[in-house]
Amino acid sequence: MIEILATKLAVKIKHIVPDHPASEAVLKFSLGLLINAISIIFLNVAISMLTGKTRETIIILFSFAILRQVSGGLHLKSGLGCVIGTTAMVTVLSLLHLNGLWTQILNLAGIILALIYAPSGIGKQSRIPPKFYPLLKIVTCFIIALNILIQSSVLALSFFVQCVTLIKFRR
């Protein structure tokens, strides 16, 4: 569905502005990312207004995205799958609350996962040279470690789930 919409928009843009330097494929890809992001944000904020967890939802969306930029992680095959999966994950996480001990356990588990797996799968989605990957691992661990001081259960949940997406499961 998202891919179809992105394709239609890319074709229309190329028809209206045929001399645009971006190819139809590049436009489709970029529009797909934009539609995904907007859909995820819109759906999560709408659901959070119903659940009364808007603050938690926004924290999860931003913290997950920031950590994902430096650590990488699993990408779902389709845009619609990404929207549905991310929306479900954010909604569930926003409804959970951990006590202080579990917050710290998830912080430590996230750091351990990041030390082992980060960065993961960023070669095809980033222009960062591999020589900087050890720095990305350090930055990832530092971001998670900040929550040892902050002690936010919402951040601990978000960071931990993001770190689980770093694990490459074999088929």
Side-chain angles (χ1 to χ4, degrees):
M1 185 167 93
I2 290 173
E3 290 81 9
I4 294 169
L5 179 58
T7 301
K8 286 182 180 183
L9 287 170
V11 168
K12 191 163 194 114
I13 289 169
K14 223 29 188 169
H15 178 74
I16 293 170
V17 188
D19 296 333
H20 192 281
S23 68
E24 225 172 79
V26 169
L27 288 171
K28 176 187 170 189
F29 179 77
S30 300
L31 288 165
L33 291 176
L34 187 62
I35 293 166
N36 270 2
I38 291 169
S39 299
I40 289 167
I41 293 167
F42 176 78
L43 284 171
N44 277 293
V45 170
I47 292 169
S48 75
M49 289 179 172
L50 297 173
T51 62
K53 299 290 184 176
T54 303
R55 178 181 175 271
E56 292 85 350
T57 296
I58 291 170
I59 290 170
I60 293 166
L61 286 170
F62 280 109
S63 63
F64 194 88
I66 288 167
L67 194 63
R68 186 170 199 79
Q69 290 302 306
V70 294
S71 67
L74 172 75
H75 282 274
L76 298 177
K77 301 269 186 237
S78 76
L80 184 58
C82 179
V83 170
I84 292 169
T86 303
T87 301
M89 181 265 308
V90 171
T91 300
V92 169
L93 293 181
S94 73
L95 297 172
L96 299 176
H97 181 75
L98 305 173
N99 66 27
L101 175 62
W102 279 105
T103 297
Q104 299 304 2
I105 289 170
L106 285 189
N107 286 331
L108 293 174
I111 290 170
I112 291 167
L113 289 172
L115 284 170
I116 297 169
Y117 297 108
S120 177
I122 65 169
K124 294 179 183 176
Q125 56 184 311
S126 170
R127 293 184 181 171
I128 299 171
K131 70 179 182 180
F132 292 111
Y133 288 4
L135 181 60
L136 292 177
K137 183 184 295 280
I138 292 167
V139 171
T140 299
C141 291
F142 178 76
I143 290 170
I144 299 165
L146 284 175
N147 196 43
I148 292 172
L149 300 173
I150 298 168
Q151 298 185 25
S152 165
S153 69
V154 175
L155 287 175
L157 287 161
S158 176
F159 291 159
F160 176 74
V161 170
Q162 168 52 32
C163 287
V164 169
T165 73
L166 302 175
I167 303 169
K168 294 178 185 172
F169 296 100
R170 295 181 185 182
R171 291 183 179 195

